[in-house]
Amino acid sequence: MKLAKFLIPVVAAGGLTAGAFYWMNRGSAHRLNDLARETPQQAVLWVAAEMRDEQGAAKLSDEVQKLRQESAEVEQFAQQLEKRSGRKLDQLLKIYAASGFMAIYAGQGAGQLDKSADVLLECQLYDAGGAREMIKQKGWKEEAYAGQTLYTNGLSWCCVSDRVVMMGSSRHILERAVDAAGHKNTLDRDPQFQQALARLPGLSKSNGMAIYCDFGPCWSSLEKVGGQHVDAGTVAGLRTVPYLVGGLMKKQGSWLGQGFLVIDSKTNNSLAQALLKTPSSAAPLAAVVPEQWGCFQGFDLIYSLDLLVEMIRLVPRGRMGVGLGLAYLGLLPGGARDKAIRQAFSGDAAWTFDLDSALSAAQSGLARGRRPSLATGGNFGMVFGLKDVEAARKLLQPLPGQKVTLAGREGFLLSYQGSELCWMFLDRPASLIFSAGPKGQESLAKMVECAHGKAASLARRKEFSAFASSYGARSALFSYLEMSRLVDGLKGALDELADAPGRPLLKSLLSRQELLVPDRWSVQIEKDGLRVTNQGSAAVLGLGGAGLAAIASPNFTKARGRGRGRLIACKSNQKNIATALEMWSSDNGGRYPERLSQLLPGYLKTVPTCPAAGSDTYSGSYSKSTRPDQFNFCCQTGHPGQVPANYPQYQSDIGLIERP
C-alpha cells in the first residue's frame, strides 16, 4: 500500500481547512520555530504551517461538517477519504493536527539538486496510537533505529513518535528526521536560517505559515549542468541571490504577509545593482485615481526595464541580443534618446480600472454566455509620472488623435469600435494620463477632477494612505484592491452560473467576512534585499491554501516511488545525459553524437533507465541537428498520473521541459 494513503487524514485536515487559514489568532501556545527545531539542517526548501491554536480538532470538525453540508463535491471527497482510510473523517481529525512541515534536501547530502532529492514530511499528532495502528494494519516491514520503529514498504519510509508522524523518501532522510526530533543538527541552529528569520521579526514566535528557500544548491546544480545557456557570468549573477524567506502572521489584530529576498549588496555584479537601485515610488499617483474605482497598481517602469535587461544578460546569448536590440531602438544606456527619456519621465507609473464597471461587464457577458470585449468591458486608466512635462510633450510629438477638451483642459481622443482611448498631460501631479473603455472621455475627466481636488481620490482612502505611509517609500511595486467590491462581483457572477460544479462551496467561502478587507501589496527595496509586504485577504487565502496543500500533498510522499520521486529521478537522468552531450560536443568541434550510445563509456558509464519504466526510455527519442547544432530527447513512456508520454523533454536550446 502506498504511503500516500496514510496521508489521507493530513489531506483532510489541511486541504479542507485552506479556506479557513485566516481565522482569528488568539496568541500562540505553538510556534513555527518549534517546527524548525524538529527539522534536519541543510533543507533546500522548507514550508511549514502551525495552526493548532486556530484549528483545534473540535473546531476543525465543525468547519468540515459545515462544508460537507454546503457542497456535494466536499461530501463526495470526504466519503472517498473515509472509504480509503477505513475511518470516519471525525476520527481522522482527532488523530492528525493542523501543524507540520515539508522539507526538500539534496539527495544523500550531495549539495546539488541534480542528484535525486530527498523529501521529508512531518505532521503533528493528537493521537499517536491511532496513527501507529493505521500503519500497522497495512503490514509494512518494521526496522529499528535509535530506539524508534521505522516502517517501510521498500519504497517509502515512516516513523511515528509520541507526538509526530514523519514520512520520508529514503531511510537516510528519515534517520536524520529521527535525530532532529531529538534536537540534533536542527534547522533552527543553521546560521543562514537564523539570519533569514531575523529578517521577519515575530514570525518564528507566531502561528501561521513560513517558507524558507536556500538557492545555493540550485545555483550549484545549474553551474554543473552548464551548456550554451549558462556560463560563469550567469552563475555569478544568480549567486548574488542566496536565499528567500517568507511567512504569514498576525500583527495588530490583522494578518500580515511578508517576504524577504536577500541580495548581496557588497558585490559589484550588475544584476545585484539593478535589484538594489532606489526606485521612484508610484503611491503618490493615486491622487489621480477616483476613490470609487477601488483598484491601483503602481510600479517604477524604468527600474523594471533596467532589471529586465540585466536578467536577459544572465544568458550568454542574451548579452549580445539585448545590446543589439537596445542599439536598434536607440536606447543604449547613456545614449541621446535614453537620456531624453530619463530626463522627461520619473519612472513611476500605475494602472487602474473602474472595478464596478469591469465586474458589471463581466457579469453581463456571462449572462449572455460570452466573454466581454473591450467595447463592452470596463474603463481602464494609466498614469506615467513626469520630471519635465514640456520635455515629455516634445519627446512624444507628434501625438496622434483628435484634440478634445476635457475638464477644461486639452486632451486627445482615438475611437475604435465603441471604445475610446484618451490621454492628457497634467502639471499637478506632473504626469501623462490615459483612459480607455466605452466611456474613456468620462473616465479621463474624472481622473482630472481628482488631480485638481474637485473629487475624492483613492489616495484619500484611509486604508490606502495608512499603508502608503508605512510601506510606500522605496517601493518598486505598490498595489491596492478593494476586495469587498470584488467579492460582490464574484457573487453576482456565480448567480449566472447556477449549475457550475463547486458553486455552493465557492459561494460559502466568499461569504467570509475576512475577505472584505482591502488587499494591499508593496515591494520595497532595502540596502540588502527586497521586502514584500501584504495586508489583506487575497494573499492570506492564496498563501494559506498553498502552504497547507504543500504540507498535505501526496505528491511529496512518493519520492523514489511510483509518483513524484520517480519523476524527479527521471528529470535528473535527463540533466545528466544533457551534461554528457555538452561535454561530448566540446570535445568534437561543437557537434553532437548521432546516438546516445556514443557517450559510453567516456562520458556516461551507461545510458540511465527511467525508474518508472525500469528501462532506457530516452535513446529512442534522441535526435540532433546541425546549423544550428542542437539536440532533443524525452522520456517516451511518461509518468502516469504525473506527466503524459514523451515528457519530461530536454531541448538543448530551452533546457528541461517537465510537462506540456
Side-chain angles (χ1 to χ4, degrees), residues 83-384:
K83 181 178 180 180
R84 294 173 63 187
S85 65
R87 298 196 178 206
K88 292 294 184 181
L89 194 53
D90 284 345
Q91 294 176 303
L92 299 177
L93 296 177
K94 292 177 182 178
I95 296 176
Y96 295 89
S99 172
F101 68 81
M102 178 201 73
I104 297 179
Y105 298 82
Q108 299 290 321
Q112 298 177 1
L113 288 179
D114 55 329
K115 306 294 183 182
S116 53
D118 280 328
V119 184
L120 174 67
L121 269 89
E122 178 180 298
C123 183
Q124 302 289 321
L125 297 173
Y126 291 126
D127 181 4
R132 191 175 290 111
E133 180 183 349
M134 292 182 66
I135 294 176
K136 287 184 176 181
Q137 289 175 352
K138 305 303 178 181
W140 282 24
K141 179 182 176 182
E142 296 184 11
E143 299 184 9
Y145 175 76
Q148 295 286 343
T149 300
L150 309 184
Y151 302 89
T152 180
N153 63 353
L155 298 173
S156 303
W157 298 77
C158 179
C159 178
V160 181
S161 71
D162 293 336
R163 298 179 297 104
V164 301
V165 55
M166 296 172 281
M167 294 150 281
S169 59
S170 68
R171 174 164 181 151
H172 168 76
I173 193 60
L174 192 62
E175 289 178 355
R176 291 186 60 191
V178 172
D179 291 340
H183 305 295
K184 299 178 182 178
N185 300 319
T186 53
L187 184 63
D188 69 306
R189 299 180 183 179
D190 182 280
Q192 181 171 282
F193 183 78
Q194 293 174 348
Q195 293 175 8
L197 288 187
R199 303 283 184 176
L200 305 179
L203 176 63
S204 63
K205 299 180 180 180
S206 69
N207 264 210
M209 171 194 165
I211 181 171
Y212 165 75
C213 185
D214 179 3
F215 294 126
C218 303
W219 307 151
S220 296
S221 298
L222 191 64
E223 183 177 26
K224 183 176 181 181
V225 171
Q228 58 186 343
H229 300 298
V230 179
D231 63 7
T234 306
V235 178
L238 293 174
R239 287 197 183 279
T240 63
V241 185
Y243 66 87
L244 166 73
V245 62
L248 193 64
M249 56 186 169
K250 259 297 176 70
K251 186 175 183 180
Q252 298 178 348
S254 62
W255 283 105
L256 175 68
Q258 281 198 322
F260 198 92
L261 180 68
V262 177
I263 310 297
D264 184 358
S265 59
K266 298 179 181 180
T267 181
N268 60 359
N269 184 273
S270 57
L271 176 63
Q273 292 176 348
L275 283 164
L276 296 176
K277 187 180 70 174
T278 302
S280 179
S281 177
L285 296 180
V288 181
V289 179
E291 181 182 17
Q292 67 270 23
W293 283 18
C295 175
F296 178 87
Q297 180 89 52
F299 53 96
D300 186 331
L301 184 59
I302 292 178
Y303 172 95
S304 301
L305 292 176
D306 287 346
L307 179 58
L308 177 62
V309 167
E310 292 304 324
M311 293 177 69
I312 295 174
R313 284 176 173 161
L314 283 175
V315 182
R317 290 183 177 180
R319 291 173 205 142
M320 179 178 293
V322 74
L324 292 174
L326 291 175
Y328 178 78
L329 296 173
L331 295 176
L332 284 173
R337 185 173 296 180
D338 179 70
K339 288 181 178 179
I341 292 174
R342 294 175 188 267
Q343 289 172 356
F345 289 85
S346 57
D348 50 320
W351 64 266
T352 178
F353 63 87
D354 184 345
L355 198 56
D356 290 338
S357 70
L359 291 170
S360 177
Q363 186 174 344
S364 176
L366 287 171
R368 293 179 173 85
R370 65 189 185 192
R371 295 181 180 180
S373 66
L374 178 62
T376 60
N379 298 296
F380 298 81
M382 283 288 300
V383 188
F384 296 93

Side-chain angles (χ1 to χ4, degrees), residues 553-612:
S553 174
N555 287 341
F556 290 106
T557 72
K558 302 178 183 178
R560 293 186 180 174
R562 294 187 178 88
R564 186 65 182 173
R566 289 186 170 178
L567 177 59
I568 292 173
C570 180
K571 292 191 292 183
S572 177
N573 287 344
Q574 294 196 19
K575 291 177 182 178
N576 290 336
I577 294 172
T579 300
L581 286 166
E582 294 295 347
M583 293 171 64
W584 197 97
S585 175
S586 297
D587 294 340
N588 290 272
R591 300 299 176 91
Y592 295 108
E594 297 290 338
R595 299 173 301 279
L596 292 185
S597 59
Q598 292 178 249
L599 299 174
L600 311 180
Y603 302 90
L604 286 174
K605 291 183 178 180
T606 182
V607 178
T609 60
C610 172

